[in-house]
């Protein structure tokens, strides 16, 4: 029951973040904080419902993983800015992908990033082929991250059944 409840919470938060990013090209700090806090609550509920899981270790590991993902994503953004002179990833996208590690852990966060970048590449390629995009045109990345995060979440939960 915990997993189902948090699945709907995760879906709702990701949907709200995606809609906001599509409309404004920004992700509010308040939504990211809610995303992070609900992830910590999820880990706590998971730990309380299973005696084999140590809550402190789980939160510590996922928090350290969050820092790793943040550094990787920030590095991608920094390098692409130095090469192309544009921000390819916004700070909101970087924070969203790193906070997702609280929910997913490091392995599934990398899977979610792979899914996100692949879907974004397909979308971008389609936009270039149909001439809807100009070179280096920016678009909302949070919807792709959200799809990747939610897909990874579902894959993880299917594996644990």
């Amino acid at each position: 029951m915990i997993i189902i409840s948090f699945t709907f919470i995760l879906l709702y938060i990701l949907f709200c973040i995606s809609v906001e990013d599509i409309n404004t090209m920004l992700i509010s700090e308040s939504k990211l904080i809610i995303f992070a806090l609900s992830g910590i609550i999820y880990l706590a509920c998971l730990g309380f419902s299973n005696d084999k899981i140590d809550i402190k270790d789980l939160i510590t590991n996922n928090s350290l993983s969050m820092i790793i993902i943040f550094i990787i994503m920030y590095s991608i953004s920094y390098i692409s800015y130095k090469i192309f002179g544009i921000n390819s990833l916004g700070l909101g996208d970087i924070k969203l992908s790193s906070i997702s590690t609280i929910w997913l852990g490091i392995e599934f966060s990398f899977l979610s990033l792979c899914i996100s970048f692949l879907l974004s590449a397909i979308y971008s390629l389609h936009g270039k082929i149909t001439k809807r995009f100009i070179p280096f045109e920016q678009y909302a990345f949070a919807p792709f991250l959200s799809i990747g995060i939610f897909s990874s979440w579902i894959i993880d939960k299917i594996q644990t059944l």
Side-chain angles (χ1 to χ4, degrees), residues 21-85:
D21 194 35
I22 290 169
N23 291 332
T24 65
M25 294 291 286
L26 296 170
I27 302 171
S28 66
E29 290 292 320
S30 59
K31 284 185 176 65
L32 292 171
I33 290 169
I34 291 169
F35 185 46
L37 290 176
S38 57
I40 292 169
I41 293 168
Y42 162 69
L43 294 178
C45 290
L46 193 63
F48 289 132
S49 68
N50 189 341
D51 293 335
K52 297 176 184 176
I53 298 174
D54 182 21
I55 299 170
K56 291 178 189 176
D57 286 345
L58 188 59
I59 291 174
T60 302
N61 288 341
N62 286 12
S63 296
L64 291 174
S65 299
M66 182 176 72
I67 294 168
I68 292 168
I69 294 292
F70 183 87
I71 291 169
I72 290 170
M73 294 295 285
Y74 189 82
S75 298
I76 291 170
S77 178
Y78 181 78
I79 291 168
S80 68
Y81 181 76
K82 288 296 183 183
I83 293 172
F84 300 115

Side-chain angles (χ1 to χ4, degrees), residues 1-133:
M1 189 64 177
I2 291 172
I3 301 298
I4 293 171
S5 300
F6 278 100
T7 298
F8 285 110
I9 291 169
L10 177 64
L11 183 61
Y12 177 75
I13 293 170
L14 292 174
F15 179 78
C16 291
I17 287 172
S18 295
V19 168
E20 180 181 38
D21 194 35
I22 290 169
N23 291 332
T24 65
M25 294 291 286
L26 296 170
I27 302 171
S28 66
E29 290 292 320
S30 59
K31 284 185 176 65
L32 292 171
I33 290 169
I34 291 169
F35 185 46
L37 290 176
S38 57
I40 292 169
I41 293 168
Y42 162 69
L43 294 178
C45 290
L46 193 63
F48 289 132
S49 68
N50 189 341
D51 293 335
K52 297 176 184 176
I53 298 174
D54 182 21
I55 299 170
K56 291 178 189 176
D57 286 345
L58 188 59
I59 291 174
T60 302
N61 288 341
N62 286 12
S63 296
L64 291 174
S65 299
M66 182 176 72
I67 294 168
I68 292 168
I69 294 292
F70 183 87
I71 291 169
I72 290 170
M73 294 295 285
Y74 189 82
S75 298
I76 291 170
S77 178
Y78 181 78
I79 291 168
S80 68
Y81 181 76
K82 288 296 183 183
I83 293 172
F84 300 115
I86 60 165
N87 286 326
S88 60
L89 287 171
L91 193 55
D93 298 325
I94 295 168
K95 290 177 182 178
L96 176 62
S97 59
S98 62
I99 292 170
S100 72
T101 309
I102 295 172
W103 286 82
L104 301 172
I106 192 80
E107 300 88 3
F108 286 99
S109 288
F110 280 122
L111 176 62
S112 83
L113 288 174
C114 289
I115 293 169
S116 303
F117 281 115
L118 179 65
L119 292 174
S120 176
I122 292 169
Y123 176 76
S124 179
L125 184 62
H126 177 266
K128 288 181 193 302
I129 290 171
T130 60
K131 298 188 184 340
R132 289 182 34 217
F133 290 158

